[in-house]
Amino acid sequence: GESVGLHLPTLSVQEGDNSIINCAYSNSASDYFIWYKQESGKGPQFIIDIRSNMDKRQGQRVTVLLNKTVKHLSLQIAATQPGDSAVYFCAETVYNQGGKLIFGQGTELSVKP
Amino acid sequence: NAGVTQTPKFQVLKTGQSMTLQCAQDMNHEYMSWYRQDPGMGLRLIHYSVGAGITDQGEVPNGYNVSRSTTEDFPLRLLSAAPSQTSVYFCASSQRQAPYEQYFGPGTRLTVT
């Protein structure tokens, strides 16, 4: 079946450094991608999204890059802070197919002070 | 706004028991969804609703029922609990205009013995 997966289950970075979290997807029909952040004991929180007609989208301290050729998605966090420590999930969908998101496994980001 | 609320926060059931997980949102969102999250995995969609009176199945609907009699409430019923249903359950809601920018509740941790 179709799946979304992450290359690294854990990532440890120094406070102030930039973080890059990767995600591979396998459904070539997917045209919309989202990153969610989940802090310990809480529900996921929407961070940023990107449509397949874009290669890059920037938010506040975050950038999502999409490479459709190799079906790869990444989330870059600039100047990583302790509050960024969480599990990050990518999710994919075909936008006009009724709200069914397929989530990846998740990457745990740990920020060292 | 309270956002998305879920009750109970924790629950222990014996195999074969039934129960209802409650979910409510006060944002007047049309879309609501139930996910389960198992250790080390992403979220999997159980059931979803695009409006009052309308529900549909997600990836893993077996063993669960839902109904949507009001915009605010979307309860999830476990008909006959099984150990395989031990998981953390998240309810989410979103607007029709942005169906994938989902707001998640804090989760219900369910253990079936």
Side-chain angles (χ1 to χ4, degrees), chain A residues 7-67:
Chain A
H7 295 307
L8 297 174
T10 60
L11 178 65
S12 183
V13 300
Q14 205 70 37
E15 181 177 358
D17 287 351
N18 296 334
S19 302
I20 300 176
I21 300 170
N22 296 304
C23 176
Y25 66 95
S26 58
N27 184 0
S28 55
S30 292
D31 59 4
Y32 183 75
F33 305 89
I34 303 176
W35 283 99
Y36 280 91
K37 172 186 180 183
Q38 185 177 25
E39 296 175 87
S40 181
K42 297 184 179 180
Q45 179 183 10
F46 176 92
I47 302 174
I48 192 167
D49 58 357
I50 189 167
R51 293 218 186 207
S52 60
N53 60 352
M54 303 172 70
D55 297 323
K56 179 179 180 179
R57 189 164 190 219
Q58 289 185 293
Q60 189 173 13
R61 276 199 313 117
V62 295
T63 300
V64 56
L65 299 178
L66 176 62
N67 185 330

Short mmCIF file of all heavy atoms in Angstrom, two decimals, chain A residues 7-67:
data_model
loop_
_atom_site.label_atom_id
_atom_site.label_comp_id
_atom_site.label_asym_id
_atom_site.label_seq_id
_atom_site.Cartn_x
_atom_site.Cartn_y
_atom_site.Cartn_z
N HIS A 7 13.30 8.98 7.19
CA HIS A 7 14.59 8.33 7.12
C HIS A 7 15.17 8.12 8.51
O HIS A 7 15.81 7.11 8.75
CB HIS A 7 15.53 9.19 6.29
CG HIS A 7 15.09 9.29 4.86
ND1 HIS A 7 14.83 8.20 4.08
CD2 HIS A 7 14.87 10.36 4.07
CE1 HIS A 7 14.48 8.59 2.87
NE2 HIS A 7 14.50 9.89 2.83
N LEU A 8 15.00 9.09 9.41
CA LEU A 8 15.63 9.03 10.72
C LEU A 8 14.56 9.06 11.79
O LEU A 8 13.78 9.98 11.89
CB LEU A 8 16.57 10.22 10.91
CG LEU A 8 17.76 10.31 9.98
CD1 LEU A 8 18.50 11.62 10.21
CD2 LEU A 8 18.71 9.14 10.21
N PRO A 9 14.55 8.09 12.69
CA PRO A 9 13.58 8.15 13.76
C PRO A 9 13.94 9.15 14.86
O PRO A 9 13.08 9.62 15.56
CB PRO A 9 13.60 6.73 14.33
CG PRO A 9 14.94 6.18 13.96
CD PRO A 9 15.31 6.84 12.67
N THR A 10 15.23 9.47 15.05
CA THR A 10 15.64 10.42 16.07
C THR A 10 16.66 11.38 15.49
O THR A 10 17.44 11.04 14.62
CB THR A 10 16.28 9.72 17.29
OG1 THR A 10 17.42 8.99 16.85
CG2 THR A 10 15.29 8.77 17.94
N LEU A 11 16.63 12.61 16.00
CA LEU A 11 17.58 13.64 15.60
C LEU A 11 17.93 14.47 16.82
O LEU A 11 17.04 14.97 17.50
CB LEU A 11 16.96 14.52 14.51
CG LEU A 11 17.80 15.68 14.01
CD1 LEU A 11 19.05 15.16 13.31
CD2 LEU A 11 16.99 16.55 13.07
N SER A 12 19.23 14.59 17.08
CA SER A 12 19.67 15.39 18.21
C SER A 12 20.50 16.56 17.68
O SER A 12 21.44 16.35 16.91
CB SER A 12 20.51 14.53 19.16
OG SER A 12 20.89 15.28 20.29
N VAL A 13 20.16 17.78 18.08
CA VAL A 13 20.87 18.96 17.60
C VAL A 13 21.20 19.87 18.78
O VAL A 13 20.55 19.80 19.84
CB VAL A 13 20.06 19.75 16.55
CG1 VAL A 13 19.75 18.88 15.35
CG2 VAL A 13 18.80 20.32 17.16
N GLN A 14 22.19 20.71 18.58
CA GLN A 14 22.58 21.70 19.58
C GLN A 14 21.67 22.92 19.44
O GLN A 14 21.29 23.32 18.32
CB GLN A 14 24.03 22.11 19.35
CG GLN A 14 24.75 22.62 20.56
CD GLN A 14 25.04 21.54 21.59
OE1 GLN A 14 25.35 20.40 21.26
NE2 GLN A 14 24.95 21.90 22.86
N GLU A 15 21.32 23.47 20.58
CA GLU A 15 20.51 24.70 20.56
C GLU A 15 21.20 25.76 19.69
O GLU A 15 22.41 25.99 19.81
CB GLU A 15 20.35 25.24 21.99
CG GLU A 15 19.51 26.50 22.09
CD GLU A 15 19.32 26.95 23.52
OE1 GLU A 15 19.81 26.27 24.45
OE2 GLU A 15 18.68 28.00 23.74
N GLY A 16 20.43 26.39 18.84
CA GLY A 16 20.97 27.41 17.96
C GLY A 16 21.32 26.90 16.57
O GLY A 16 21.41 27.69 15.63
N ASP A 17 21.53 25.60 16.45
CA ASP A 17 21.81 25.02 15.14
C ASP A 17 20.53 24.90 14.33
O ASP A 17 19.42 25.01 14.86
CB ASP A 17 22.44 23.64 15.29
CG ASP A 17 23.88 23.71 15.78
OD1 ASP A 17 24.44 24.83 15.85
OD2 ASP A 17 24.43 22.63 16.10
N ASN A 18 20.70 24.65 13.04
CA ASN A 18 19.55 24.38 12.19
C ASN A 18 19.26 22.88 12.19
O ASN A 18 20.19 22.06 12.26
CB ASN A 18 19.81 24.85 10.76
CG ASN A 18 19.99 26.36 10.69
OD1 ASN A 18 19.49 27.09 11.53
ND2 ASN A 18 20.73 26.81 9.70
N SER A 19 17.98 22.53 12.10
CA SER A 19 17.57 21.13 12.07
C SER A 19 16.94 20.83 10.71
O SER A 19 16.25 21.67 10.14
CB SER A 19 16.52 20.84 13.15
OG SER A 19 17.02 21.15 14.43
N ILE A 20 17.18 19.62 10.24
CA ILE A 20 16.55 19.17 9.00
C ILE A 20 15.93 17.80 9.26
O ILE A 20 16.63 16.86 9.64
CB ILE A 20 17.55 19.07 7.84
CG1 ILE A 20 18.17 20.44 7.56
CG2 ILE A 20 16.84 18.55 6.58
CD1 ILE A 20 19.25 20.41 6.50
N ILE A 21 14.63 17.73 9.08
CA ILE A 21 13.91 16.47 9.26
C ILE A 21 13.40 16.03 7.90
O ILE A 21 12.79 16.83 7.17
CB ILE A 21 12.74 16.67 10.24
CG1 ILE A 21 13.28 17.14 11.60
CG2 ILE A 21 11.95 15.37 10.40
CD1 ILE A 21 12.21 17.59 12.57
N ASN A 22 13.65 14.78 7.57
CA ASN A 22 13.33 14.28 6.23
C ASN A 22 12.13 13.35 6.23
O ASN A 22 11.80 12.73 7.24
CB ASN A 22 14.54 13.54 5.66
CG ASN A 22 15.71 14.46 5.46
OD1 ASN A 22 15.61 15.47 4.77
ND2 ASN A 22 16.84 14.14 6.07
N CYS A 23 11.53 13.23 5.07
CA CYS A 23 10.35 12.39 4.90
C CYS A 23 10.31 11.92 3.46
O CYS A 23 10.50 12.71 2.54
CB CYS A 23 9.10 13.19 5.25
SG CYS A 23 7.55 12.34 5.00
N ALA A 24 10.04 10.62 3.28
CA ALA A 24 9.86 10.08 1.95
C ALA A 24 8.40 9.66 1.80
O ALA A 24 7.80 9.16 2.74
CB ALA A 24 10.76 8.88 1.73
N TYR A 25 7.85 9.89 0.63
CA TYR A 25 6.49 9.44 0.38
C TYR A 25 6.49 8.57 -0.87
O TYR A 25 7.37 8.69 -1.71
CB TYR A 25 5.52 10.62 0.26
CG TYR A 25 5.74 11.52 -0.92
CD1 TYR A 25 5.03 11.36 -2.10
CD2 TYR A 25 6.64 12.59 -0.84
CE1 TYR A 25 5.23 12.19 -3.18
CE2 TYR A 25 6.84 13.43 -1.92
CZ TYR A 25 6.13 13.23 -3.09
OH TYR A 25 6.33 14.07 -4.15
N SER A 26 5.49 7.70 -0.96
CA SER A 26 5.50 6.75 -2.07
C SER A 26 4.33 6.92 -3.01
O SER A 26 4.37 6.38 -4.12
CB SER A 26 5.52 5.32 -1.55
OG SER A 26 4.40 5.08 -0.72
N ASN A 27 3.30 7.67 -2.60
CA ASN A 27 2.14 7.84 -3.47
C ASN A 27 2.39 9.00 -4.43
O ASN A 27 2.33 10.17 -4.03
CB ASN A 27 0.87 8.09 -2.65
CG ASN A 27 -0.37 8.16 -3.51
OD1 ASN A 27 -0.31 8.02 -4.73
ND2 ASN A 27 -1.51 8.38 -2.88
N SER A 28 2.65 8.68 -5.68
CA SER A 28 2.95 9.74 -6.64
C SER A 28 1.75 10.63 -6.92
O SER A 28 1.89 11.72 -7.47
CB SER A 28 3.44 9.11 -7.95
OG SER A 28 2.49 8.19 -8.43
N ALA A 29 0.55 10.18 -6.53
CA ALA A 29 -0.64 11.00 -6.72
C ALA A 29 -0.82 12.04 -5.63
O ALA A 29 -1.61 12.97 -5.77
CB ALA A 29 -1.88 10.12 -6.78
N SER A 30 -0.10 11.93 -4.54
CA SER A 30 -0.23 12.89 -3.45
C SER A 30 0.19 14.28 -3.93
O SER A 30 1.22 14.43 -4.59
CB SER A 30 0.62 12.48 -2.25
OG SER A 30 0.11 11.31 -1.66
N ASP A 31 -0.63 15.26 -3.59
CA ASP A 31 -0.34 16.61 -4.06
C ASP A 31 -0.38 17.65 -2.95
O ASP A 31 -0.35 18.85 -3.21
CB ASP A 31 -1.30 17.01 -5.19
CG ASP A 31 -2.76 16.97 -4.76
OD1 ASP A 31 -3.03 16.71 -3.56
OD2 ASP A 31 -3.64 17.18 -5.62
N TYR A 32 -0.45 17.18 -1.73
CA TYR A 32 -0.53 18.11 -0.61
C TYR A 32 0.14 17.44 0.58
O TYR A 32 -0.14 16.27 0.88
CB TYR A 32 -2.00 18.41 -0.31
CG TYR A 32 -2.22 19.42 0.78
CD1 TYR A 32 -2.00 20.78 0.57
CD2 TYR A 32 -2.67 19.01 2.02
CE1 TYR A 32 -2.23 21.70 1.58
CE2 TYR A 32 -2.90 19.92 3.04
CZ TYR A 32 -2.68 21.26 2.81
OH TYR A 32 -2.90 22.16 3.81
N PHE A 33 0.99 18.21 1.25
CA PHE A 33 1.82 17.65 2.32
C PHE A 33 1.81 18.60 3.51
O PHE A 33 1.77 19.82 3.35
CB PHE A 33 3.26 17.45 1.83
CG PHE A 33 3.34 16.62 0.59
CD1 PHE A 33 3.26 17.21 -0.66
CD2 PHE A 33 3.47 15.25 0.67
CE1 PHE A 33 3.30 16.46 -1.82
CE2 PHE A 33 3.52 14.48 -0.49
CZ PHE A 33 3.44 15.08 -1.73
N ILE A 34 1.84 18.00 4.69
CA ILE A 34 1.76 18.79 5.92
C ILE A 34 2.80 18.29 6.90
O ILE A 34 3.10 17.08 6.96
CB ILE A 34 0.37 18.64 6.58
CG1 ILE A 34 -0.74 19.04 5.63
CG2 ILE A 34 0.28 19.46 7.86
CD1 ILE A 34 -2.13 18.81 6.20
N TRP A 35 3.30 19.19 7.69
CA TRP A 35 4.13 18.84 8.84
C TRP A 35 3.38 19.18 10.11
O TRP A 35 2.83 20.27 10.25
CB TRP A 35 5.46 19.59 8.82
CG TRP A 35 6.45 19.03 7.86
CD1 TRP A 35 6.74 19.49 6.60
CD2 TRP A 35 7.31 17.90 8.07
NE1 TRP A 35 7.71 18.71 6.03
CE2 TRP A 35 8.08 17.74 6.90
CE3 TRP A 35 7.52 17.02 9.14
CZ2 TRP A 35 9.02 16.72 6.76
CZ3 TRP A 35 8.46 16.01 9.00
CH2 TRP A 35 9.21 15.87 7.83
N TYR A 36 3.39 18.20 11.03
CA TYR A 36 2.81 18.40 12.36
C TYR A 36 3.88 18.21 13.41
O TYR A 36 4.81 17.42 13.24
CB TYR A 36 1.70 17.38 12.64
CG TYR A 36 0.36 17.69 12.03
CD1 TYR A 36 0.01 17.22 10.77
CD2 TYR A 36 -0.58 18.45 12.73
CE1 TYR A 36 -1.23 17.49 10.22
CE2 TYR A 36 -1.81 18.74 12.18
CZ TYR A 36 -2.14 18.25 10.94
OH TYR A 36 -3.36 18.53 10.40
N LYS A 37 3.72 18.93 14.51
CA LYS A 37 4.61 18.82 15.67
C LYS A 37 3.81 18.26 16.82
O LYS A 37 2.71 18.72 17.09
CB LYS A 37 5.16 20.21 16.03
CG LYS A 37 5.94 20.27 17.33
CD LYS A 37 6.30 21.73 17.66
CE LYS A 37 7.09 21.83 18.95
NZ LYS A 37 7.37 23.26 19.32
N GLN A 38 4.37 17.25 17.50
CA GLN A 38 3.68 16.70 18.65
C GLN A 38 4.59 16.72 19.86
O GLN A 38 5.59 15.99 19.92
CB GLN A 38 3.20 15.27 18.38
CG GLN A 38 2.37 14.70 19.52
CD GLN A 38 1.83 13.31 19.21
OE1 GLN A 38 2.39 12.57 18.41
NE2 GLN A 38 0.72 12.95 19.84
N GLU A 39 4.25 17.54 20.82
CA GLU A 39 4.98 17.58 22.07
C GLU A 39 4.49 16.46 22.98
O GLU A 39 3.36 15.97 22.84
CB GLU A 39 4.80 18.94 22.74
CG GLU A 39 5.40 20.07 21.92
CD GLU A 39 5.13 21.44 22.51
OE1 GLU A 39 5.91 21.89 23.37
OE2 GLU A 39 4.13 22.05 22.11
N SER A 40 5.33 16.07 23.90
CA SER A 40 5.03 14.95 24.77
C SER A 40 3.70 15.15 25.50
O SER A 40 3.47 16.19 26.13
CB SER A 40 6.16 14.78 25.79
OG SER A 40 5.91 13.67 26.63
N GLY A 41 2.83 14.17 25.40
CA GLY A 41 1.56 14.20 26.12
C GLY A 41 0.50 15.09 25.50
O GLY A 41 -0.55 15.30 26.10
N LYS A 42 0.76 15.58 24.29
CA LYS A 42 -0.20 16.47 23.64
C LYS A 42 -0.59 15.94 22.27
O LYS A 42 0.06 15.03 21.73
CB LYS A 42 0.40 17.88 23.49
CG LYS A 42 0.71 18.56 24.81
CD LYS A 42 1.20 19.97 24.57
CE LYS A 42 1.48 20.69 25.88
NZ LYS A 42 1.97 22.08 25.64
N GLY A 43 -1.61 16.53 21.71
CA GLY A 43 -2.00 16.20 20.37
C GLY A 43 -1.11 16.91 19.36
O GLY A 43 -0.46 17.90 19.68
N PRO A 44 -1.06 16.42 18.12
CA PRO A 44 -0.26 17.09 17.08
C PRO A 44 -0.75 18.51 16.82
O PRO A 44 -1.93 18.82 16.99
CB PRO A 44 -0.49 16.19 15.86
CG PRO A 44 -0.90 14.87 16.40
CD PRO A 44 -1.69 15.18 17.64
N GLN A 45 0.20 19.32 16.38
CA GLN A 45 -0.09 20.71 16.09
C GLN A 45 0.39 21.02 14.67
O GLN A 45 1.54 20.72 14.32
CB GLN A 45 0.63 21.59 17.11
CG GLN A 45 0.44 23.07 16.93
CD GLN A 45 1.25 23.87 17.95
OE1 GLN A 45 2.08 23.33 18.67
NE2 GLN A 45 1.02 25.16 17.99
N PHE A 46 -0.47 21.61 13.87
CA PHE A 46 -0.14 21.97 12.49
C PHE A 46 1.01 22.97 12.48
O PHE A 46 1.00 23.95 13.21
CB PHE A 46 -1.39 22.57 11.84
CG PHE A 46 -1.18 23.08 10.44
CD1 PHE A 46 -1.43 22.27 9.35
CD2 PHE A 46 -0.77 24.38 10.22
CE1 PHE A 46 -1.26 22.74 8.06
CE2 PHE A 46 -0.60 24.87 8.92
CZ PHE A 46 -0.86 24.04 7.85
N ILE A 47 2.02 22.69 11.62
CA ILE A 47 3.14 23.63 11.49
C ILE A 47 3.07 24.35 10.17
O ILE A 47 3.03 25.59 10.11
CB ILE A 47 4.50 22.89 11.55
CG1 ILE A 47 4.65 22.11 12.85
CG2 ILE A 47 5.65 23.88 11.41
CD1 ILE A 47 5.92 21.27 12.88
N ILE A 48 3.11 23.61 9.06
CA ILE A 48 3.20 24.21 7.75
C ILE A 48 2.76 23.18 6.72
O ILE A 48 2.85 21.97 6.95
CB ILE A 48 4.64 24.68 7.47
CG1 ILE A 48 4.71 25.57 6.22
CG2 ILE A 48 5.61 23.50 7.37
CD1 ILE A 48 6.03 26.31 6.06
N ASP A 49 2.29 23.69 5.59
CA ASP A 49 1.88 22.79 4.52
C ASP A 49 2.49 23.24 3.20
O ASP A 49 3.02 24.36 3.09
CB ASP A 49 0.36 22.72 4.41
CG ASP A 49 -0.29 24.08 4.16
OD1 ASP A 49 0.43 25.11 4.12
OD2 ASP A 49 -1.52 24.12 4.01
N ILE A 50 2.39 22.38 2.21
CA ILE A 50 2.90 22.72 0.88
C ILE A 50 2.14 21.92 -0.16
O ILE A 50 1.82 20.74 0.05
CB ILE A 50 4.42 22.48 0.77
CG1 ILE A 50 4.97 23.03 -0.55
CG2 ILE A 50 4.76 21.00 0.92
CD1 ILE A 50 6.48 23.10 -0.60
N ARG A 51 1.83 22.58 -1.24
CA ARG A 51 1.18 21.89 -2.36
C ARG A 51 2.23 21.46 -3.36
O ARG A 51 3.34 22.01 -3.42
CB ARG A 51 0.19 22.83 -3.03
CG ARG A 51 -0.98 23.20 -2.15
CD ARG A 51 -2.23 23.26 -2.98
NE ARG A 51 -3.37 23.74 -2.21
CZ ARG A 51 -4.60 23.41 -2.51
NH1 ARG A 51 -4.86 22.63 -3.53
NH2 ARG A 51 -5.59 23.87 -1.78
N SER A 52 1.86 20.53 -4.20
CA SER A 52 2.83 19.95 -5.11
C SER A 52 3.23 20.89 -6.24
O SER A 52 4.19 20.62 -6.97
CB SER A 52 2.29 18.64 -5.71
OG SER A 52 1.10 18.88 -6.42
N ASN A 53 2.53 22.01 -6.39
CA ASN A 53 2.93 22.98 -7.41
C ASN A 53 4.01 23.94 -6.89
O ASN A 53 4.39 24.88 -7.57
CB ASN A 53 1.73 23.76 -7.94
CG ASN A 53 1.03 24.56 -6.86
OD1 ASN A 53 1.34 24.42 -5.67
ND2 ASN A 53 0.09 25.39 -7.26
N MET A 54 4.48 23.66 -5.68
CA MET A 54 5.53 24.48 -5.07
C MET A 54 6.70 23.57 -4.71
O MET A 54 6.53 22.39 -4.43
CB MET A 54 5.02 25.17 -3.81
CG MET A 54 3.81 26.06 -4.02
SD MET A 54 3.14 26.66 -2.48
CE MET A 54 4.42 27.79 -1.98
N ASP A 55 7.92 24.18 -4.71
CA ASP A 55 9.11 23.45 -4.27
C ASP A 55 9.51 23.84 -2.85
O ASP A 55 10.21 23.09 -2.18
CB ASP A 55 10.28 23.76 -5.20
CG ASP A 55 10.01 23.28 -6.61
OD1 ASP A 55 9.38 22.22 -6.76
OD2 ASP A 55 10.40 23.98 -7.55
N LYS A 56 9.06 25.00 -2.45
CA LYS A 56 9.54 25.54 -1.16
C LYS A 56 8.47 26.43 -0.58
O LYS A 56 7.79 27.16 -1.30
CB LYS A 56 10.82 26.34 -1.42
CG LYS A 56 11.44 26.99 -0.20
CD LYS A 56 12.71 27.73 -0.62
CE LYS A 56 13.39 28.42 0.56
NZ LYS A 56 14.63 29.11 0.15
N ARG A 57 8.35 26.37 0.74
CA ARG A 57 7.45 27.30 1.42
C ARG A 57 8.07 27.63 2.76
O ARG A 57 8.55 26.74 3.47
CB ARG A 57 6.07 26.66 1.61
CG ARG A 57 5.05 27.64 2.10
CD ARG A 57 3.65 27.16 1.92
NE ARG A 57 2.74 28.26 2.21
CZ ARG A 57 1.59 28.10 2.85
NH1 ARG A 57 1.21 26.92 3.27
NH2 ARG A 57 0.83 29.15 3.07
N GLN A 58 7.99 28.90 3.11
CA GLN A 58 8.61 29.34 4.36
C GLN A 58 7.58 29.82 5.34
O GLN A 58 6.58 30.47 4.97
CB GLN A 58 9.62 30.46 4.07
CG GLN A 58 10.87 29.96 3.38
CD GLN A 58 11.91 31.05 3.20
OE1 GLN A 58 11.69 31.99 2.44
NE2 GLN A 58 13.03 30.92 3.90
N GLY A 59 7.82 29.51 6.61
CA GLY A 59 7.02 30.04 7.69
C GLY A 59 7.93 30.75 8.66
O GLY A 59 9.03 31.17 8.31
N GLN A 60 7.47 30.86 9.88
CA GLN A 60 8.30 31.51 10.88
C GLN A 60 9.32 30.50 11.39
O GLN A 60 8.98 29.53 12.06
CB GLN A 60 7.41 31.99 12.04
CG GLN A 60 8.14 32.85 13.03
CD GLN A 60 7.21 33.44 14.07
OE1 GLN A 60 6.05 33.02 14.19
NE2 GLN A 60 7.67 34.40 14.82
N ARG A 61 10.56 30.68 11.06
CA ARG A 61 11.70 29.81 11.42
C ARG A 61 11.63 28.42 10.80
O ARG A 61 12.48 27.57 11.05
CB ARG A 61 11.86 29.64 12.95
CG ARG A 61 12.61 30.71 13.65
CD ARG A 61 13.12 30.29 15.03
NE ARG A 61 12.12 29.63 15.84
CZ ARG A 61 12.23 28.36 16.25
NH1 ARG A 61 13.25 27.61 15.90
NH2 ARG A 61 11.28 27.83 17.01
N VAL A 62 10.61 28.13 10.03
CA VAL A 62 10.52 26.81 9.38
C VAL A 62 10.42 26.98 7.87
O VAL A 62 9.83 27.95 7.38
CB VAL A 62 9.33 25.99 9.90
CG1 VAL A 62 9.51 25.65 11.37
CG2 VAL A 62 8.01 26.71 9.67
N THR A 63 11.00 26.01 7.17
CA THR A 63 10.92 25.95 5.72
C THR A 63 10.64 24.51 5.32
O THR A 63 11.27 23.59 5.86
CB THR A 63 12.25 26.39 5.07
OG1 THR A 63 12.54 27.74 5.47
CG2 THR A 63 12.15 26.33 3.55
N VAL A 64 9.70 24.32 4.42
CA VAL A 64 9.45 22.99 3.90
C VAL A 64 9.90 22.97 2.44
O VAL A 64 9.62 23.89 1.68
CB VAL A 64 7.97 22.58 4.05
CG1 VAL A 64 7.02 23.57 3.41
CG2 VAL A 64 7.74 21.19 3.49
N LEU A 65 10.63 21.91 2.10
CA LEU A 65 11.11 21.71 0.74
C LEU A 65 10.48 20.44 0.19
O LEU A 65 10.39 19.42 0.90
CB LEU A 65 12.64 21.58 0.72
CG LEU A 65 13.43 22.78 1.23
CD1 LEU A 65 14.92 22.46 1.20
CD2 LEU A 65 13.14 24.01 0.41
N LEU A 66 10.07 20.50 -1.05
CA LEU A 66 9.45 19.36 -1.70
C LEU A 66 10.20 19.03 -2.97
O LEU A 66 10.38 19.89 -3.84
CB LEU A 66 7.97 19.67 -2.02
CG LEU A 66 7.19 18.61 -2.79
CD1 LEU A 66 7.11 17.32 -1.98
CD2 LEU A 66 5.81 19.13 -3.14
N ASN A 67 10.63 17.79 -3.09
CA ASN A 67 11.29 17.31 -4.30
C ASN A 67 10.45 16.18 -4.87
O ASN A 67 10.49 15.04 -4.40
CB ASN A 67 12.70 16.81 -3.98
CG ASN A 67 13.47 16.41 -5.24
OD1 ASN A 67 12.88 15.98 -6.23
ND2 ASN A 67 14.78 16.55 -5.19
#
